[in-house]
Amino acid sequence: MKRTLLSLLAVIFALTASAQGFKGRILKLDFRKPVTERGGSSVDVGLSGVSRSGSTSLLDLERALEKAAEDPEIALVFMTPDKLSAGAATTEEIRAALARFRASGKPILSYSTGFSTNTYYLASVADKVVLNPAGYGMIAGMSSTQYFLKDALDSLGIRIQLIRHGKYKSAGERFIRNDISPENREQYETMLRSIWTNRMEEVAASRGTTVAALDSLVDNLALDAPESWLKNGLVDELAHRDEVEHYFAVLFGKAPDKLDFITLEDYADKLRKGSGGKVAVVFADGEISRDGSDGIVGNRMAQTLASVRRDEDVKAVVFRVNSPGGEVVASDLIRREIELLRKEGKPVIASYGDYAASGGYWISSPADRIFSGRSTLTGSIGVFGLVPVIGDAVKKHLKVNLVSINTHAHSDAMSGIRAMDETETAQYQAHIEAIYDRFVSLVAESRGKTREAVDEIAQGRVWAGRDAIGIGLVDEFGTLLDAVHYAAEKAGLKSYRIACYPARKKGLKAILSDDGTEPLVRVPEVPASLRNYVTPGEHTLARLPYVITIQ
């Protein structure tokens, strides 16, 4: 009975497309690899041995779907999102790219063996959503769990001195409190509700329902067994994989083993690079620091931007930022190069990924225009510093007495051996205040606002992109590819080629990569975020309090 129904639907679908049915290839998105900013492959060396890993480039995915929409050889997209591994804003971009493919008149079929919030959000863009009859999917809303360490640190005799500006700047709060502050709770509740509402609005539009109806289903835990998804109109069919293949066979008039599939990765490999002037896409992905080989290293990123500035073939720049922030000095080095690029007369368009907050906003706010996702976390205009005091803990637990020999009254300030006194604390607070004032002034200048207006939306508060556009932190909702097209148009380019930076090295240079690009072989190191937190006295940070993952 089920196969008969699927076959009937396939025939109807085929007749609406062509009297002779579908022709061409099926573009397959199986999400076996995570979708990341740059994509690529590497060999990971760890305690458990050597393993190979890889990821799909978001830009390649977007370009492939754009090309497939106009390619007569591609008939439709078959998507299996079960293994999707991507951040909230990244998933939003993938969905937008699929929606544009669908708008071209070509259909999308999604098949799942189960749903999470993220995978159903993506699947719902399809013309036909199919769930395995034994599949399970429970959507219970969104939640952020935060942890507080003060009681544990107190028991160890460790004290953390937190110096900050911004009542919402909750980075470091976990070390000095045993519960969430009212301001932090407020910003997280607003942010989560904003991201959730945006997702449900898109799902409701795709499935012909309302946000209120979806919220009711979620509140009442009405979505679990496959039949509940079908009953509530959130999937179109319950079917096994072989029945879906039979569906395609009817559509194309071929035996299942004769169907012509091509993976998105293989299709993307065939894309032409283009010709004409270059649009440089510069990826700033990760924590911002002054040293190390992971994330965004200040001097190296500044050098990359300087080389782009000097390249006469580069006519426009897309600065792709996916960063929760990091060190202030490193951030300022990068920001300066963005300013110099603009002075050179090259349009600089910022494109935001999952995060472009605090230091991530510092480095990108001078751009001519800022594209953001509705789920992007941005803002967090605030500054903080941490000084761990471990002298008492060492004495208590290790029976080691630490004695400082100083030449001046404050030589051992921020050494971690003792707490800062009132004079030292006041001096550090003044330092933080000066950086905050500069941060606010830079944003005000870049965004055409008064300092008072920026301060009102700053104070370290994190904003979802959906809300950030209304307060002037970003200019437009759009994908990375939207930013590329806009940059080319701004530069007056009718034809262009995309060049990605930092340039990838090859061969032995790639294996030994120490220039901020992704090495072929990775040996684990201490993350910049942890180095910054635990190194006494060296780092003033403009950073998000947490990295948030939405499942």
Side-chain angles (χ1 to χ4, degrees):
M1 178 65 182
K2 189 180 298 176
R3 174 162 294 187
T4 301
L5 178 58
L6 282 169
S7 299
L8 177 60
L9 289 171
V11 171
I12 294 172
F13 210 170
L15 288 174
T16 60
S18 166
Q20 298 176 342
F22 275 71
K23 294 181 179 179
R25 312 181 79 180
I26 300 172
L27 184 61
K28 184 166 65 173
L29 278 71
D30 56 21
F31 298 103
R32 289 179 301 168
K33 298 178 181 179
V35 180
T36 61
E37 294 292 295
R38 288 296 301 268
S41 59
S42 63
V43 176
D44 299 287
V45 180
L47 295 176
S48 59
V50 179
S51 62
R52 184 179 297 276
S53 61
S55 59
T56 299
S57 157
L58 176 63
L59 181 58
D60 285 350
L61 183 150
E62 291 182 17
R63 291 183 64 217
L65 286 170
E66 181 182 65
K67 176 64 176 176
E70 60 187 29
D71 185 350
E73 291 188 5
I74 299 298
L76 57 83
V77 162
F78 176 44
M79 171 172 60
T80 53
D82 286 358
K83 295 182 179 180
L84 173 68
S85 176
T90 300
T91 304
E92 182 184 325
E93 288 200 39
I94 298 169
R95 195 181 194 279
L98 286 164
R100 289 175 187 175
F101 176 90
R102 182 180 174 184
S104 72
K106 296 182 178 182
I108 301 172
L109 187 144
S110 177
Y111 175 77
S112 301
T113 58
F115 292 128
S116 66
T117 300
N118 219 30
T119 61
Y120 182 73
Y121 168 65
L122 187 61
S124 66
V125 76
D127 296 87
K128 182 176 289 298
V129 181
V130 181
L131 177 63
N132 185 282
Y136 177 86
M138 177 178 170
I139 296 180
M142 296 173 60
S143 176
S144 173
T145 301
Q146 302 181 15
Y147 57 91
F148 296 88
L149 302 174
K150 183 180 184 302
D151 292 345
L153 294 173
D154 286 349
S155 68
L156 295 171
I158 297 174
R159 178 183 173 190
I160 302 292
Q161 289 184 285
L162 172 64
I163 313 296
R164 61 180 170 175
H165 184 110
K167 62 182 179 180
Y168 294 100
K169 196 65 180 176
S170 57
E173 189 177 88
R174 72 184 75 171
F175 300 110
I176 64 167
R177 294 180 62 95
N178 55 20
D179 195 5
I180 192 169
S181 66
E183 294 84 3
N184 196 17
R185 178 179 291 280
E186 175 193 351
Q187 75 171 339
Y188 271 83
E189 286 179 347
T190 301
M191 183 174 59
L192 290 173
R193 174 53 62 180
S194 182
I195 295 172
W196 172 261
T197 300
N198 177 71
R199 289 187 160 210
M200 291 305 101
E201 285 177 350
E202 292 190 68
V203 170
S206 295
R207 299 303 303 177
T209 183
T210 65
V211 173
L214 291 170
D215 279 339
S216 177
L217 292 172
V218 170
D219 276 335
N220 290 288
L221 296 179
L223 298 172
D224 47 25
E227 292 76 16
S228 66
W229 289 83
L230 183 63
K231 174 185 175 183
N232 289 290
L234 297 185
V235 303
D236 300 294
E237 293 292 336
L238 303 180
H240 294 281
R241 178 67 177 257
D242 64 288
E243 293 174 311
V244 173
E245 291 174 356
H246 179 74
Y247 173 82
F248 286 138
V250 174
L251 279 179
F252 286 86
K254 296 181 178 181
D257 60 350
K258 300 298 183 182
L259 292 169
D260 189 3
F261 290 94
I262 181 170
T263 66
L264 181 126
E265 288 79 10
D266 287 343
Y267 187 75
D269 286 343
K270 301 178 185 299
L271 292 176
R272 295 179 180 178
K273 294 183 179 179
S275 60
K278 286 198 291 189
V279 174
V281 180
V282 181
F283 289 91
D285 184 19
E287 183 101 7
I288 303 170
S289 62
R290 276 182 278 176
D291 52 30
S293 60
D294 61 325
I296 307 165
V297 180
N299 280 319
R300 293 179 189 146
M301 179 55 67
Q303 290 168 7
T304 295
L305 291 166
S307 68
V308 168
R309 171 166 49 88
R310 291 189 292 264
D311 188 342
E312 294 182 357
D313 291 334
V314 173
K315 306 302 181 184
V317 177
V318 173
F319 190 35
R320 174 67 174 191
V321 178
N322 186 52
S323 173
E327 290 185 276
V328 167
V329 173
S331 298
D332 206 53
L333 291 173
I334 297 167
R335 179 190 174 91
R336 177 58 180 166
E337 282 299 331
I338 296 296
E339 292 172 341
L340 292 176
L341 267 168
R342 291 191 64 199
K343 288 182 179 179
E344 193 74 18
K346 298 183 180 186
V348 180
I349 311 303
S351 170
Y352 288 171
D354 295 316
Y355 305 92
S358 211
Y361 195 75
W362 185 306
I363 65 178
S364 57
S365 60
D368 292 282
R369 193 164 186 81
I370 298 175
F371 284 73
S372 172
R374 290 173 175 82
S375 304
T376 296
L377 301 184
T378 189
S380 192
I381 300 168
V383 189
F384 76 100
L386 289 172
V387 180
V389 183
I390 62 171
D392 291 343
V394 170
K395 181 176 182 178
K396 177 181 178 180
H397 298 288
L398 301 180
K399 310 305 179 186
V400 174
N401 295 317
L402 303 175
V403 178
S404 296
I405 310 298
N406 305 319
T407 60
H408 295 78
H410 306 288
S411 295
D412 61 345
M414 293 189 290
S415 64
I417 296 175
R418 64 171 178 83
M420 293 188 295
D421 61 28
E422 290 186 6
T423 301
E424 293 159 350
T425 301
Q427 189 273 340
Y428 198 2
Q429 185 69 56
H431 172 64
I432 294 293
E433 297 295 336
I435 295 174
Y436 177 79
D437 288 344
R438 182 161 186 265
F439 196 171
V440 168
S441 297
L442 288 171
V443 172
E445 179 183 352
S446 298
R447 301 300 297 167
K449 292 178 173 292
T450 64
R451 189 192 178 284
E452 292 72 22
V454 173
D455 183 54
E456 187 175 340
I457 60 175
Q459 295 292 326
R461 181 160 185 168
V462 183
W463 299 90
R466 177 187 172 96
D467 301 318
I469 198 167
I471 56 176
L473 289 177
V474 303
D475 298 302
E476 185 173 340
F477 296 135
T479 66
L480 174 54
L481 195 55
D482 288 331
V484 171
H485 291 329
Y486 182 89
E489 181 182 346
K490 191 81 172 173
L493 299 175
K494 295 186 183 296
S495 61
Y496 58 91
R497 52 201 166 105
I498 299 173
C500 296
Y501 299 85
R504 293 189 183 281
K505 293 189 175 182
K506 299 179 181 180
L508 183 60
K509 288 184 178 180
I511 294 175
L512 302 176
S513 177
D514 192 34
D515 63 350
T517 61
E518 186 74 9
L520 285 177
V521 176
R522 287 198 301 254
V523 178
E525 62 176 71
V526 178
S529 56
L530 184 56
R531 291 200 306 270
N532 292 343
Y533 276 137
V534 301
T535 307
E538 291 188 9
H539 306 282
T540 302
L541 303 175
R543 192 193 186 282
L544 269 179
Y546 303 93
V547 173
I548 301 168
T549 302
I550 297 173
Q551 302 294 338

